[in-house]
Amino acid sequence: MLTPLLLLWPLSLALTWYVAQGIASKPFDRALEFNLQALTQIVQQDNGRVRFELGKQARDLLRADDSDIVYHQVLDSRGQLVSGDSDLPPPGAQELVETGRIRLRDDVVRGDEVRVAYTWLMAKGDSAPVLLQLAETKGKRSTLANEIIKGVMVPQFVILPVAVLLVWLALVRGIRPLSDLEQRIRARRPDDLSPIEESFIPQEVAPLVSSINDLLTRLKASLSTQRRFLADAAHQLKTPLAGLRMQAELAQRETDPNETRKSLQQIARASARATHTVNQLLALARAESTGRALPSARVDLARLVPGVVQDSVPRALEAGVDLGYEGPEALPEAAHHVGNPILLQEMVRNLLDNAIAYSGRGGVVTARVLFDRFSGVQVIQVEDNGPGVPENERELVMQPFYRALGTNVDGSGLGLAIVQEIAQQHGATVHMEDAHPERAQRGLRVSIKFPPTPETQPE
């Protein structure tokens, strides 16, 4: 702050000097005009002749004082000097002559700057006016201006250092809580993500500390999710990897080619389960941690879902499942959702994989896209005729690694957790119900309801 103040101080003095010149000139200009007005009373004109006789009062008026010299000049209508100093220059030739009006100008007489008051006088019968001028040097004006500048400059010499000192002391005291806050943050352990105490911080930085606490809370939740994910992943991968090792050891001991082939088949199945589990874990990690950072685009669900169904046909044929799609071929452009196409495809693929796996050979799986033109709501449905999910377990199957009891289907328990996570990131809700409540095999219908887009939202 000291640097800009020191730079502004000379500018302040220059402005003060300029203002002081105007202030100092005004009273002296009024006095000069008054004296000129008094001199006009003693100018006499008679038949073209001009007389100017100074009395005692007039001589006292023109007497030089201690500071300035006073000049006067009277020129007749022909420009001849009647009285006064011939060195006093007349007004400019281009200046408009106005009788009876007193004007002021700056000029130079004998090398000295002077302030000149002048006017023209017109007598009856004369064709040209008489010029009367009164000039005064600027000694008193400069002295008064210098006194004004001193009166302003001297206090500034005292006020400026005092102001800088007071500001410095105030800033040191005001920043002390920030220094304490800095020390508290630096003294924290790397694993300490608890909120920063907000009781002893300046009010001005309270929003900043609140934002940092919010960031710490979200970071803590993210790290907890990652730790839980790593623990669950290690637990889920431990079993298939142990099975692979056991089958490999058995294959090494076998001498019968048939038994060796069976062991190799078990190894292939265990490898497929491990690969599926790893892929599911990676999909869940991507959905939980990077879904919001992935690029978004306008997605037509009526085109996206059939594409995923077509990709799943080979697996359905292998499992002996009748897989189909019901719904429009395309939705209006205004109904296209802004989202990540890769994650949405992953969500539909997990629903189809679950439905195909639990329907069994001879099962029927149907994917649908429903669109209500009045409300703008869109729904993705995947329906199967498998055993279904009991109502009391429908919330539990949304959790990672949970599998419904009584099923003998291979899986990792991550499919519906991935569906739930991706749906939440796109503002959708997941709902489960029995597809065929009147049958023994109730089946399962999973509906993902998307809110209307701003263009299709009813007024």
Side-chain angles (χ1 to χ4, degrees):
M1 296 184 65
L2 180 61
T3 300
L5 286 176
L6 292 177
L7 292 176
L8 290 174
W9 185 56
L11 179 61
S12 173
L13 294 181
L15 292 175
T16 302
W17 179 85
Y18 178 78
V19 173
Q21 293 292 330
I23 295 174
S25 295
K26 287 183 180 179
F28 295 109
D29 285 348
R30 293 194 188 97
L32 195 62
E33 292 175 358
F34 177 79
N35 293 338
L36 181 66
Q37 185 67 35
L39 291 179
T40 60
Q41 305 300 322
I42 61 177
V43 177
Q44 299 180 2
Q45 302 181 60
D46 185 13
N47 297 326
R49 297 180 60 186
V50 179
R51 290 185 298 172
F52 186 77
E53 297 180 357
L54 292 174
K56 182 177 182 302
Q57 292 182 349
R59 287 193 298 271
D60 292 340
L61 184 66
L62 299 178
R63 184 179 302 165
D65 56 22
D66 296 337
S67 301
D68 292 310
I69 301 174
V70 179
Y71 303 96
H72 78 283
Q73 184 185 74
V74 181
L75 300 179
D76 61 14
S77 58
R78 296 184 300 276
Q80 298 296 321
L81 180 64
V82 176
S83 176
D85 302 285
S86 59
D87 295 337
L88 188 59
Q94 72 277 6
E95 190 161 352
L96 180 64
V97 176
E98 293 185 21
T99 58
R101 178 183 175 184
I102 298 177
R103 297 184 179 180
L104 295 168
R105 76 175 190 274
D106 293 321
D107 219 320
V108 178
V109 177
R110 300 172 187 172
D112 295 329
E113 293 185 356
V114 294
R115 185 70 167 167
V116 183
Y118 58 99
T119 186
W120 284 275
L121 304 174
M122 180 70 75
K124 293 182 180 180
D126 290 342
S127 58
V130 174
L131 175 63
L132 176 60
Q133 296 190 105
L134 184 64
E136 182 183 51
T137 56
K138 296 183 177 181
K140 294 191 296 293
R141 299 167 190 262
S142 298
T143 301
L144 179 57
N146 291 335
E147 291 297 327
I148 294 175
I149 293 174
K150 290 178 183 179
V152 174
M153 184 174 61
V154 172
Q156 285 186 359
F157 270 118
V158 179
I159 292 174
L160 184 62
V162 172
V164 172
L165 178 62
L166 292 177
V167 170
W168 179 73
L169 292 175
L171 288 177
V172 169
R173 182 170 181 175
I175 293 176
R176 187 176 301 158
L178 293 180
S179 301
D180 297 339
L181 178 62
E182 177 191 2
Q183 295 300 324
R184 280 191 286 163
I185 294 176
R186 289 184 180 275
R188 283 187 165 216
R189 300 188 310 274
D191 58 342
D192 185 4
L193 297 179
S194 60
I196 300 172
E197 178 61 41
E198 301 184 24
S199 303
F200 305 101
I201 60 173
Q203 183 179 0
E204 292 77 9
V205 297
L208 174 62
V209 174
S210 178
S211 300
I212 293 175
N213 285 339
D214 180 62
L215 176 61
L216 291 175
T217 301
R218 288 186 279 119
L219 180 60
K220 185 177 181 180
S222 177
L223 293 177
S224 299
T225 301
Q226 291 182 8
R227 284 194 292 266
R228 185 178 68 251
F229 170 79
L230 291 175
D232 294 340
H235 174 73
Q236 292 297 319
L237 290 175
K238 186 185 300 183
T239 300
L241 291 178
L244 280 172
R245 181 179 179 180
M246 182 184 66
Q247 293 294 336
E249 291 176 352
L250 290 176
Q252 290 175 357
R253 296 173 187 170
E254 289 292 343
T255 57
D256 186 356
N258 292 329
E259 293 297 329
T260 302
R261 188 179 298 107
K262 291 180 181 179
S263 296
L264 292 176
Q265 290 174 353
Q266 291 291 337
I267 291 175
R269 284 194 291 270
S271 298
R273 286 196 298 270
T275 302
H276 178 71
T277 301
V278 170
N279 290 334
Q280 293 284 77
L281 289 170
L282 293 176
L284 180 61
R286 180 173 58 183
E288 287 183 343
S289 61
T290 62
R292 293 180 178 84
L294 290 175
S296 298
R298 298 188 69 87
V299 180
D300 185 355
L301 298 180
R303 294 183 181 273
L304 182 140
V305 174
V308 180
V309 170
Q310 186 175 2
D311 294 340
S312 302
V313 167
R315 185 183 175 195
L317 293 176
E318 182 182 355
V321 174
D322 181 7
L323 175 62
Y325 168 76
E326 296 178 359
E329 295 182 357
L331 294 178
E333 186 175 354
H336 293 181
H337 271 274
V338 176
N340 183 265
I342 297 176
L343 289 182
L344 291 173
Q345 290 173 356
E346 187 71 26
M347 178 184 69
V348 177
R349 185 176 296 110
N350 277 276
L351 287 176
L352 294 177
D353 288 347
N354 269 9
I356 292 172
Y358 284 90
S359 295
R361 187 164 296 275
V364 178
V365 176
T366 305
R368 300 187 185 93
V369 172
L370 307 177
F371 176 56
D372 188 343
R373 296 184 179 272
F374 296 100
S375 64
V377 175
Q378 302 176 49
V379 179
I380 295 177
Q381 283 186 355
V382 175
E383 179 182 301
D384 63 65
N385 59 351
V389 177
E391 187 174 353
N392 58 349
E393 294 188 35
R394 289 173 183 172
E395 292 186 3
L396 298 176
V397 295
M398 293 294 184
Q399 300 176 6
F401 306 111
Y402 182 87
R403 301 185 63 201
L405 300 177
T407 61
N408 57 356
V409 179
D410 290 338
S412 59
L414 291 171
L416 291 178
I418 295 173
V419 171
Q420 174 79 354
E421 181 65 29
I422 296 176
Q424 289 179 352
Q425 291 184 6
H426 289 81
T429 56
V430 181
H431 177 69
M432 294 184 187
E433 60 184 347
D434 293 333
H436 310 287
E438 72 284 355
R439 302 179 186 175
Q441 289 282 97
R442 293 174 175 268
L444 181 67
R445 181 186 297 124
V446 181
S447 301
I448 302 176
K449 183 179 180 181
F450 290 83
T453 62
E455 295 83 354
T456 60
Q457 190 168 7
E459 298 181 358

